[in-house]
Amino acid sequence: MNTNNYPDTKKNEDRGRRVSLSGKAANAAVKPKEAERKPVMAKEPARSESSKPIAPHTSVETRLETGTAKTPFDDPIKNRTKAPVEAPVDHSNDSPIEKPIETPIVPPVNPPSRNPIQQPISDSFRFPAPSQEPIICAIDHGYGNIKTSNFCFPANVKPCDETFGFNTDVLTYEGKSYSIGIGHKEFRADKILDQDYYILTLAAIGKELARRKLSTAHVVIAAGLPLTWAEEQHERFREYLMQKPHVDFTYMDTDFHVDIQTVFVFRQGIAAVANQLGSFKGTNMLVDIGNGTMNVMNINEKVAIQESCFTEKYGTYQCILLAREMLQRKFGGLPTDAQIERYLRSLNADIGEGYKAVIHETAKKYVAGIFHRLREHEYNPTLMRLWVIGGGGCLLRNFGEYDKERVTFIEDLRANAKGYERMARYELDKQRKKREQHERQ
């Protein structure tokens, strides 16, 4: 059929063709916009908690708590299908592998304090490593005070009730409690006649370990005896301090466990100046005035003369006893020993002027007696220098008459204990070198 003969029909076909083309163009223009609104993306499987990205500054503990840390127990197949846990889940019925990993809790080494109100010792105690070097506890067992390298406290011990709350300085050993540092101990030339000095030794060890924040340690005790008594009492005093290789005790609410490896016993006086012997040129006399005894030794050209050692029972407590007797005669009443000692040390005490005058006069007589005894041991102030150590040095300085240019005072009350520590360290180093030499051979 010839369509050219029908013009209206041709127009209609052309019109339909144009409409169809315009519709296709419109559809082509709409499709890009729809693609922008709805991008086609591949479906991604859900992430498990362990596969989530980890923050760069998240700590290991936090990752363990939240379950994001990778561990040998992670199951990659299970983790791919697990949904994130938004709330705590009860794992009590799970298998050991499925339980969440928790940060291990390390119990504190230091036992809790028995006194919830007062804790005089730091909480951060620790046990020593097996290879740790032993702790040297140097102790000067004085008749008036116990001195270590870092502490000084009265040398007195009394049995007490542990529940008695006025004194917190209480040591418990083998089921018995003792109050430390109250009162004054009776003078005894032999210190091993009772257990008092052993209890005081444990208190000194406890103080030194507490300072180092230790409750368990291997300990080497470095002690001393008066010059002329050391030779006779040396071995017995060593056995006395070594009576138990392992000892457990409680001091100031802390339990201590101590292994005593060995005990060194040195001579008092010379230990205090052993590191200064280079200054002892010419002829010198060393006097150590303690609470109970006075020790004298000659040192010539840096060498201690053992034959010139003397020990006399003429310590500072003799001065206190003499002052008490004179005060009792004149006033009929007595100040305390602490008040008398305070005046002797500092020339000041809260007592009447009459009491001070009597104490002052008594102290001058006592110091004159010291110089008299030194002269009996060939002390000549014009030919030799005098070195004074111990608590009695303050009496010579405050009440004595002497040439200040030729008398030297070592005022550190812990000088002997520090000397014991130096000498014990030297002995330990010598033993270590000998062992190493033997092993090399």
Side-chain angles (χ1 to χ4, degrees):
M1 183 177 181
N2 189 3
T3 58
N4 294 332
N5 298 327
Y6 300 93
D8 294 338
T9 303
K10 186 177 182 179
K11 290 179 180 179
N12 291 336
E13 289 177 356
D14 295 336
R15 189 182 298 113
R17 190 180 295 114
R18 287 195 299 270
V19 171
S20 178
L21 292 173
S22 64
K24 289 181 179 181
N27 291 336
V30 171
K31 284 183 179 179
K33 294 182 180 180
E34 292 178 351
E36 291 177 1
R37 287 197 303 267
K38 299 180 180 179
V40 178
M41 299 183 67
K43 188 174 181 181
E44 184 176 338
R47 290 186 178 184
S48 65
E49 286 292 332
S50 61
S51 62
K52 287 184 178 181
I54 300 173
H57 301 292
T58 305
S59 64
V60 176
E61 291 79 2
T62 303
R63 288 153 53 193
L64 286 172
E65 293 176 358
T66 58
T68 58
K70 290 187 177 182
T71 66
F73 303 109
D74 286 340
D75 189 340
I77 297 177
K78 291 183 180 181
N79 288 338
R80 272 203 304 272
T81 58
K82 282 185 180 180
V85 179
E86 299 297 336
V89 180
D90 183 11
H91 296 275
S92 58
N93 297 323
D94 295 349
S95 65
I97 295 180
E98 295 174 341
K99 288 186 178 181
I101 301 174
E102 299 177 354
T103 304
I105 300 175
V106 180
V109 175
N110 184 38
S113 172
R114 293 186 175 84
N115 188 347
I117 299 178
Q118 182 178 9
Q119 294 194 25
I121 301 178
S122 173
D123 292 334
S124 53
F125 282 77
R126 60 184 175 85
F127 284 91
S131 60
Q132 183 179 5
E133 291 294 324
I135 304 298
I136 299 176
C137 287
I139 308 171
D140 182 6
H141 297 82
Y143 293 101
N145 294 289
I146 300 294
K147 284 86 66 179
T148 70
S149 298
N150 301 285
F151 298 95
C152 178
F153 58 96
N156 192 42
V157 54
K158 288 184 178 180
C160 71
D161 183 358
E162 187 178 8
T163 61
F164 190 66
F166 289 105
N167 183 23
T168 58
D169 203 355
V170 174
L171 187 144
T172 302
Y173 172 66
E174 293 187 340
K176 298 180 181 179
S177 297
Y178 304 89
S179 179
I180 305 298
I182 293 181
H184 189 278
K185 182 173 174 57
E186 178 185 355
F187 174 85
R188 290 185 179 182
D190 198 340
K191 298 178 180 180
I192 67 174
L193 296 179
D194 55 32
Q195 282 289 87
D196 287 1
Y197 275 101
Y198 187 74
I199 299 299
L200 292 168
T201 299
L202 298 183
I205 293 174
K207 288 180 181 292
E208 286 293 327
L209 294 185
R211 180 179 177 272
R212 294 168 172 84
K213 298 182 180 179
L214 291 171
S215 58
T216 297
H218 307 296
V219 169
V220 171
I221 297 178
L225 286 171
L227 291 172
T228 55
W229 299 352
E231 184 174 356
E232 178 184 351
Q233 301 179 10
H234 170 274
E235 191 58 34
R236 287 188 295 137
F237 193 50
R238 183 181 181 278
E239 293 176 356
Y240 173 80
L241 297 177
M242 195 77 181
Q243 57 185 270
K244 284 193 174 182
H246 178 83
V247 59
D248 302 319
F249 62 95
T250 301
Y251 185 46
M252 292 192 296
D253 294 330
T254 299
D255 295 331
F256 291 94
H257 313 279
V258 176
D259 288 320
I260 301 177
Q261 292 190 346
T262 189
V263 175
F264 295 108
V265 180
F266 303 104
R267 296 177 184 270
Q268 289 180 3
I270 188 62
V273 298
N275 63 329
Q276 304 180 39
L277 286 179
S279 303
F280 284 72
K281 299 176 182 179
T283 304
N284 303 267
M285 177 172 282
L286 175 69
V287 56
D288 182 1
I289 307 172
N291 187 270
T293 60
M294 181 178 73
N295 297 281
V296 182
M297 171 183 280
N298 288 334
I299 302 176
N300 297 334
E301 296 297 340
K302 310 176 187 179
V303 178
I305 309 301
Q306 186 172 353
E307 293 77 10
S308 65
C309 296
F310 304 94
T311 299
E312 294 200 20
K313 185 183 174 183
Y314 199 66
T316 58
Y317 196 61
Q318 301 297 318
C319 180
I320 294 176
L321 292 177
L322 183 59
R324 290 175 60 182
E325 181 180 355
M326 300 302 295
L327 290 169
Q328 183 69 36
R329 289 181 183 179
K330 187 169 184 178
F331 299 104
L334 292 174
T336 64
D337 287 356
Q339 290 175 314
I340 298 175
E341 291 178 5
R342 188 175 298 113
Y343 182 80
L344 294 175
R345 288 195 307 267
S346 61
L347 297 177
N348 187 22
D350 189 15
I351 55 178
E353 294 299 324
Y355 288 91
K356 292 180 182 178
V358 172
I359 297 173
H360 195 98
E361 188 63 27
T362 304
K364 290 184 68 175
K365 292 181 180 179
Y366 168 77
V367 171
I370 289 178
F371 280 108
H372 174 72
R373 284 166 172 77
L374 293 180
R375 286 190 294 270
E376 288 180 344
H377 297 302
E378 301 181 355
Y379 170 61
N380 188 334
T382 61
L383 298 178
M384 61 182 63
R385 297 186 61 86
L386 181 65
W387 298 71
V388 184
I389 61 176
C394 62
L395 274 72
L396 268 69
R397 186 180 59 251
N398 294 335
F399 306 101
E401 297 179 359
Y402 55 89
D403 184 357
K404 295 182 180 180
E405 298 295 327
R406 300 188 63 79
V407 178
T408 302
F409 292 95
I410 300 176
E411 299 182 3
D412 188 356
L413 296 179
R414 305 186 300 273
N416 270 312
K418 293 178 180 179
Y420 300 156
E421 183 174 354
R422 286 190 295 267
M423 296 172 76
R425 185 170 289 109
Y426 172 79
E427 292 294 332
L428 291 176
D429 289 342
K430 188 167 63 173
Q431 294 177 6
R432 176 180 55 81
K433 291 177 181 178
K434 181 180 287 189
R435 287 195 304 269
E436 293 176 351
Q437 184 178 4
H438 179 72
E439 291 173 359
R440 286 194 298 266
Q441 295 175 352

